[in-house]
Amino acid sequence: MKIFLENVNLNSSNGPNSFANKLAPPIIKSGHSFSTQQQADISLCFIESPISNLSIPRVQRLDGIYYNTRFEYEIQNKNIKRTYDNSEGVIYQSHYGKKLITTFFGDHPNGEVIHNGADLRSIASSPAMKNDVEGRRIWSCAATWRPHKRLPENIRYFLEHKSEKDILLIAGNTPQIVKDASIYYMGNLTQKQLYSLYKASEFFLHLGFLDCCPNVVVDARACGAKVICTTSGGTQEIAGPNAIVIEEPEWDFKPLDLYNP
């Protein structure tokens, strides 16, 4: 099968494009290929399409929609909804994601929940980051940091629960919002460097608010880290049976100020 990738930038490292980079090699290994729109049998569209009159069947992969009252979310959703209505199939990242999208957009006649997966081959070839202090236990967290990813809460949880030799390594471009001898800001890391970090981590913190299916959690779990998350969103669905899951109030699926969780 020849697949046309819509709205995918394989040179980008954000969540959807990072997943596309993981997805591409096994698709090729399975005997399929990627091609131009004119030569393809089917389109796999990430989130939304700029093409209104596609001549081949389209499957839309959705990682969520807009509902943040700080922005004109209905306008932001307009093209996503058009793509949703014009797609033969829809992939939801989590059961939470399906409920979110169908609440705002209505049911789709051909939708399926498929949780994000991890690139186990790349993980296996990535050595754990060296821990140069004996007895030191590593916690980590990683994101494209925005308010609803809750970095301050991640840090506070770590400081409340750490032991004397524990350290927290924070990946992602963010200022030093809390200065503490046990907290290290790593900046942006490559995917391989993230795998090495996760492999060295005993705990991976992700207290993000209303995330559908965060790739960083899938990867950290696949690397052996114990996930700490909340009941918010779909993260708990992929956190694993040994995860520490913190209860918080259920969302009523009405628009809200996402950046003030």
Side-chain angles (χ1 to χ4, degrees), residues 2-126:
K2 294 180 180 179
I3 303 166
F4 171 54
L5 287 177
E6 284 190 82
N7 198 28
V8 172
N9 178 5
L10 295 177
N11 294 316
S12 171
S13 61
N14 71 6
N17 292 310
S18 170
F19 182 73
N21 273 292
K22 297 175 192 173
L23 193 63
I27 285 178
I28 293 171
K29 190 171 183 180
S30 298
H32 306 290
S33 62
F34 298 102
S35 71
T36 62
Q37 176 188 345
Q38 292 73 22
Q39 297 177 320
D41 302 305
I42 193 168
S43 163
L44 175 59
C45 176
F46 278 40
I47 304 174
E48 61 182 307
S49 171
I51 304 170
S52 58
N53 56 344
L54 192 67
S55 60
I56 54 176
R58 173 193 289 128
V59 175
Q60 180 189 30
R61 178 184 178 272
L62 276 172
D63 65 346
I65 57 174
Y66 295 101
Y67 46 84
N68 190 346
T69 54
R70 291 196 183 194
F71 306 102
E72 295 182 3
Y73 63 88
E74 291 178 327
I75 294 176
Q76 290 176 311
N77 282 332
K78 188 174 181 179
N79 191 45
I80 301 175
K81 175 68 161 59
R82 181 190 62 78
T83 307
Y84 183 81
D85 292 337
N86 293 332
S87 294
E88 279 70 21
V90 174
I91 298 170
Y92 309 102
Q93 286 189 328
S94 60
H95 295 283
Y96 157 79
K98 180 178 181 180
K99 184 175 180 180
L100 164 67
I101 292 158
T102 56
T103 297
F104 279 77
F105 287 178
D107 291 331
H108 193 281
N110 189 22
E112 190 72 37
V113 173
I114 304 176
H115 291 107
N116 292 352
D119 183 351
L120 298 181
R121 292 184 183 88
S122 294
I123 288 173
S125 66
S126 302

Side-chain angles (χ1 to χ4, degrees), residues 129 138 140-141 169 171 189 193-201:
M129 186 184 68
I138 295 175
S140 63
C141 59
L169 305 184
L189 302 179
Q193 289 171 329
L194 285 170
Y195 291 152
S196 294
L197 171 60
Y198 302 153
K199 277 189 165 183
S201 302

Side-chain angles (χ1 to χ4, degrees), residues 243-254:
I244 297 172
V245 181
I246 301 162
E247 293 282 343
E248 63 177 310
E250 282 191 32
W251 178 40
D252 59 6
F253 290 89
K254 294 180 180 179

Side-chain angles (χ1 to χ4, degrees), residues 203-217:
F203 297 109
F204 183 79
L205 268 168
H206 191 85
L207 303 182
F209 183 56
L210 300 181
D211 263 345
C212 266
C213 187
N215 285 294
V216 292
V217 172

Side-chain angles (χ1 to χ4, degrees), residues 217-228:
V217 172
V218 174
D219 290 342
R221 178 186 169 191
C223 289
K226 184 172 184 176
V227 174
I228 301 172

